[in-house]
Structures are given as C-alpha cells and as structure tokens.
Amino acid sequence: MLTRVRHIILAIIDFFHRPFSRWINQRTFRYLACGGSNQLFYIFLYYLSYHYILQERDIPIHNNIRITSPIAAYIMAFSISFPTGFFLSRNIVFPESNLLGRVQFFRYVMLTLACIILTYLFLKFFDEVCGFYPTPAAALTSLIIAVFSYISQSKYTFKIDAVDSEAVLPD
C-alpha cells in the first residue's frame, strides 16, 4: 500500500516537473512540491482546528492555566503535518538515503526544532531590527527557512552514508 501511494505521488509530481525540468532539478522540485503541499495541509488543519474543533476557545488546563486557542490549534495541526512531512521527505524527496529510519527521524526532529527557533529569531530580527512589515518579514523568513531546511535535509537528515554508498557506486 505504501509503495503504491509513493508511486502515485511521484507520478503526479514528476508530471508537473516536466515543463520546469530545464530550470529546476527533480529533487528540488519534489522538495518544493512536498514541502509546499504539506504547508498548505498544515494551514488547512490549523484552520479546521481553530475554527471548528476549538471553536476559537481557549483550553482550560488547571485553575487559571489555559492553552490559548491559536497555540492549541498549532499543536493539533503540527501533530499531523509533522509526520506527514517526514513521510514525504523520506519517501518522496530523499528515498535514496541509506540511514536508518530512527536516525532520519531523530535528525528530522532536531531540524524541525531548529527551524522553529530560527523562524522565531528571523521574525523578531526582521520586525524589530530591520523594521520590516510583518507579511514581508514572514515571507522572507519562510524563504530562508526553506533553503536552510532543504540543504540540511539533503546533507544531514537524509544524507547518503559514504561508507555504504561506495559499495553501490560504479568504478
């Protein structure tokens, strides 16, 4: 079943890659397609969580402790889009990685945490230091984080282990 889903996703992405193949390589296009789709999926989940599941109400925890509805919606959407993003990165974008799945997952968690922290820092920097408006600051931050994430995933999270790849590469 998983293999079939993978082949369907690859067929769709690769079909749309053909017109752009002169300007962008297949892996980068797959990364953009998977990352962009997962981001849209996250936004959709956030919207559903915030407006329909939480009905824009905070969640009382204990006494005066509450989780605000935006944070609760973030947690709900992230808890679904995070494993989806890992699946897409591992099986669609970087399937040739020969690292163990648990190593990939641990590195993906670390990279995701780094991206969350960097997003916060860049937003603060562009807003408070550079004086950018929030939307351009968020757009520039997203671009920087996407480039950082792509490089980190290809060189670290889903890299091809040099020891194992030498046996596979022809002379």
Side-chain angles (χ1 to χ4, degrees):
M1 168 90 174
L2 214 51
T3 304
R4 187 167 184 207
V5 170
R6 180 180 182 277
H7 287 300
I8 291 169
I9 293 171
L10 284 172
I12 293 168
I13 293 172
D14 291 347
F15 173 79
F16 286 105
H17 174 249
R18 286 186 197 120
F20 303 100
S21 61
R22 279 190 251 160
W23 301 286
I24 188 167
N25 69 45
Q26 188 178 48
R27 178 189 286 173
T28 304
F29 189 84
R30 286 177 178 178
Y31 178 80
L32 292 171
C34 290
S37 299
N38 199 51
Q39 186 65 25
L40 289 174
F41 182 53
Y42 162 79
I43 292 167
F44 173 72
L45 292 171
Y46 183 92
Y47 180 85
L48 287 179
S49 299
Y50 182 75
H51 291 288
Y52 295 104
I53 297 171
L54 298 169
Q55 298 177 347
E56 302 176 23
R57 287 184 264 156
D58 296 346
I59 300 173
I61 302 295
H62 180 67
N63 292 338
N64 288 336
I65 301 172
R66 307 173 87 61
I67 298 177
T68 64
S69 53
I71 297 301
Y74 170 78
I75 293 168
M76 294 167 76
F78 182 80
S79 67
I80 296 170
S81 66
F82 174 80
T84 304
F86 177 73
F87 170 82
L88 291 171
S89 289
R90 180 177 187 204
N91 297 294
I92 305 299
V93 183
F94 305 104
E96 69 279 358
S97 176
N98 51 11
L99 296 174
L100 294 174
R102 67 176 180 264
V103 173
Q104 292 174 342
F105 184 73
F106 176 77
R107 291 178 177 190
Y108 190 79
V109 168
M110 293 297 106
L111 176 61
T112 300
L113 291 173
C115 288
I116 291 169
I117 292 166
L118 286 172
T119 297
Y120 175 80
L121 293 173
F122 276 119
L123 286 172
K124 295 288 277 181
F125 173 75
F126 290 137
D127 178 46
E128 295 176 10
V129 176
C130 299
F132 288 11
Y133 289 108
T135 302
L140 184 56
T141 297
S142 293
L143 180 64
I144 292 168
I145 296 301
V147 170
F148 169 75
S149 179
Y150 177 71
I151 292 168
S152 299
Q153 285 189 42
S154 63
K155 303 290 183 193
Y156 176 69
T157 306
F158 299 104
K159 76 175 188 166
I160 297 174
D161 191 12
V163 174
D164 292 337
S165 66
E166 287 176 1
V168 177
L169 296 175
D171 290 345

